[in-house]
Amino acid sequence: MLNQHVHLTLPAWITDELTAGSLYPDDVSKMALVIRLSERNIQEGTGGPFGAALFTETGDLLGVGVNRVLEHDCSLAHAEMMAFATAQQGLRQFRLNQNGARVVLATSSQPCAMCYGASFWAGIDAILIGARADDVQTLAGFDEGPLPADWVGEWQKRGITVSRD
């Protein structure tokens, strides 16, 4: 029988890492959160070493995600995709910047091909990237899939600013 429901969840501990009303006013605080989420996901045994979060330009948290692929047997459950979903459901809109607000994605590592493509649709204006794909391949053995040769340039052509490392 065809499964008619998709149910993806974040681990219960995620709320321990978030404080209501907290602001993340700069790139360092945004990246500190996603790295903390990545580390905790490994420590708790609830997924892979990846974390992501979405913020308004002023630092309000819109959504978070950690890797849940193995826990849900779902290749879509990457940290960025989970963050997109939590933000989109919270705002009740699939294009996060449709009201003119600039949206920042912070991610612990360079997005894979799927998350790269989803960033365009989700309405991301800026992206902060921790580890590079080569680091992920070397350290964790994950093949993140092919990206366009000038993937940073493709984002920039569409007005998405990129900060790495």
Side-chain angles (χ1 to χ4, degrees):
M1 175 168 191
L2 178 65
N3 186 359
Q4 295 179 330
H5 299 279
V6 176
H7 184 76
L8 301 174
T9 62
L10 293 173
W13 59 258
I14 206 100
T15 55
D16 297 344
E17 295 294 336
L18 308 174
T19 304
S22 290
L23 284 179
Y24 302 85
D26 54 36
D27 293 354
V28 171
S29 62
K30 290 173 178 74
M31 288 305 297
L33 174 62
V34 300
I35 291 168
R36 199 167 63 244
L37 294 174
S38 301
E39 290 172 340
R40 181 93 185 255
N41 209 32
I42 292 297
Q43 291 167 354
E44 297 288 339
T46 51
F50 303 101
L54 290 150
F55 304 90
T56 64
E57 191 171 36
T58 57
D60 291 306
L61 183 65
L62 297 174
V64 299
V66 292
N67 181 279
R68 302 285 285 161
V69 171
L70 296 177
E71 289 67 26
H72 289 303
D73 294 315
C74 182
S75 62
L76 300 175
H78 286 201
E80 295 90 344
M81 301 299 277
M82 298 294 285
F84 293 152
T86 59
Q88 290 163 337
Q89 292 295 297
L91 293 175
R92 308 220 31 89
Q93 58 192 49
F94 74 90
R95 187 129 181 106
L96 297 170
N97 64 358
Q98 74 183 24
N99 297 330
R102 289 185 48 81
V103 176
V104 178
L105 167 65
T107 181
S108 60
S109 65
Q110 180 178 313
C112 70
M114 172 180 63
C115 298
Y116 173 78
S119 298
F120 296 109
W121 282 88
I124 303 305
D125 298 292
I127 183 164
L128 309 173
I129 301 170
R132 293 187 180 223
D134 291 344
D135 300 325
V136 173
Q137 177 70 34
T138 301
L139 297 171
F142 294 113
D143 179 358
E144 297 299 299
L147 293 175
D150 184 22
W151 60 273
V152 171
E154 290 297 325
W155 264 335
Q156 291 171 335
K157 277 191 228 176
R158 290 162 175 84
I160 300 171
T161 60
V162 179
S163 300
R164 296 194 285 176
D165 304 322

